[in-house]
Amino acid sequence: MAVKTADARLEERWRDILAVHARTMCEIDRALAPYGLGASDFEVLDILAAESPRQGDHCRVQNLVGRVHLSQSALSRLIGRLEKDGLVERSVCTEDRRGVWVALTPKGRALHAEVLPLQRAVLERMLTEREDQAPSGA
């Protein structure tokens, strides 16, 4: 049996990370589907809940772009859907008219609180399973 090169091991680890990510996102999608949310929807709600913990707090959309793994246009469409569903509201930044603020609505805050344990349970299950399967020294 041939010894794996450093490049081959690195590539294998990368593919393992991608596989865990894909399986975890699918599991989150399944867990949140009854609530009308997908994994990316939840990520936006979760970041907003962390960035703006009190009712009336808001966050610039630009601050979400680097934290959600979506293009700026896909994020804008996602926020539009969340707004249509009454979960977030957008407003124009008065200091910089190019900027857009986004905030959780009371409905969005309540839904986030309701589904947060479901998403965290999926993360716990999927990531703990992965750690249990990891070869020693990896």
Side-chain angles (χ1 to χ4, degrees):
M1 182 162 138
V3 176
K4 286 188 181 177
T5 65
D7 281 350
R9 286 191 305 273
L10 188 60
E11 182 178 333
E12 185 177 313
R13 285 188 67 204
W14 173 243
R15 293 196 194 290
D16 285 347
I17 289 167
L18 292 175
V20 169
H21 178 266
R23 285 192 306 269
T24 303
M25 292 295 278
C26 286
E27 287 296 315
I28 293 170
D29 281 340
R30 275 193 273 284
L32 301 184
Y35 299 87
L37 295 175
S40 294
D41 302 322
F42 177 83
E43 284 301 315
V44 169
L45 296 180
D46 199 41
I47 292 168
L48 288 173
E51 292 288 316
S52 52
R54 293 178 307 278
Q55 188 60 41
D57 287 351
H58 53 264
C59 178
R60 283 187 72 142
V61 171
Q62 192 60 35
N63 294 347
L64 298 173
V65 170
R67 299 181 64 194
V68 177
H69 301 289
L70 297 171
S71 67
Q72 189 163 356
S73 62
L75 176 61
S76 183
R77 288 190 303 274
L78 186 150
I79 291 171
R81 285 192 314 273
L82 294 175
E83 185 176 39
K84 185 176 137 241
D85 292 341
L87 302 175
V88 301
E89 52 193 13
R90 287 186 278 194
S91 58
V92 175
C93 177
T94 55
E95 302 85 39
D96 176 3
R97 306 263 321 144
R98 295 169 297 172
V100 176
W101 294 110
V102 64
L104 285 174
T105 63
K107 179 181 175 182
R109 212 170 275 287
L111 182 58
H112 173 263
E114 184 177 355
V115 300
L116 178 64
L118 300 173
Q119 187 262 5
R120 296 303 198 258
V122 169
L123 290 181
E124 177 72 25
R125 186 177 77 251
M126 298 301 290
L127 299 180
T128 300
E129 284 176 13
R130 183 66 193 139
E131 288 172 3
D132 292 344
Q133 296 170 5
S136 60

